[in-house]
Amino acid sequence: IARSLFGGSWLAVQLPAGIATLVTLLATYAIGARMRSRGFGLAAALLLLSCGAIAVMATTFTVDPILAALLTVAWWSFLRFETEKRARWRLVFWIALGLGTLAKGPIALVLPALALAGYALLEGGGRGFLRLAKEIGLPSGIAIP
């Protein structure tokens, strides 16, 4: 889309990574605000922004910022689903992971799967794992990516 709007210019190359970085920062803020407070969310986003790697990624021609944004959105929607139990947040979670898979491949599924397995096991052992798999709709959700 950026290339069709701006041709082969510098802006067309930088725009996707810059927008993805902005989405990552906004989702980080939203996660922090949801978990603690708006001040905490702002501090989390500013801390992320202060990292040199995020500034480099925002200006680099790579899909890594897009993957980071989609994974952050997936975690934000998972947090919303865990607290509200609304199906739409589960859908956003799976769509974000599906788009992440399109952007970077299976790593977009492997990283969240490892983290969610650990979370579920800590929450309730094997039963916690089965409960979480059922709640997030693992069989049907995995079909989205």
Side-chain angles (χ1 to χ4, degrees):
I1 294 172
R3 284 195 56 155
S4 66
L5 291 174
F6 303 109
S9 70
W10 175 85
L11 181 61
V13 173
Q14 303 297 330
L15 192 60
I19 291 172
T21 301
L22 180 61
V23 168
T24 300
L25 292 168
L26 291 173
T28 300
Y29 165 79
I31 290 169
R34 186 116 181 124
M35 292 179 73
R36 301 270 196 260
S37 67
R38 289 183 180 179
F40 186 86
L42 181 61
L46 290 174
L47 181 63
L48 180 59
L49 183 60
S50 72
C51 297
I54 195 106
V56 170
M57 293 301 283
T59 60
T60 305
F61 181 64
T62 179
V63 296
D64 290 339
I66 297 168
L67 175 65
L70 291 167
L71 288 178
T72 309
V73 168
W75 287 123
W76 171 73
S77 61
F78 177 77
L79 176 64
R80 296 289 303 259
F81 176 73
E82 276 290 286
T83 56
E84 299 175 17
K85 301 296 184 201
R86 292 192 179 171
R88 68 178 168 197
W89 297 120
R90 179 177 51 202
L91 182 62
V92 171
F93 172 78
W94 286 111
I95 289 172
L97 292 183
L99 291 172
T101 303
L102 287 174
K104 190 76 174 178
I107 194 71
L109 296 175
V110 171
L111 292 175
L114 291 172
L116 285 175
Y119 169 72
L121 291 173
L122 287 174
E123 285 291 310
R127 289 182 187 203
F129 181 79
L130 293 175
R131 177 199 60 84
L132 183 63
K134 182 180 177 185
E135 283 184 3
I136 64 169
L138 185 61
S140 58
I142 200 73
I144 291 175

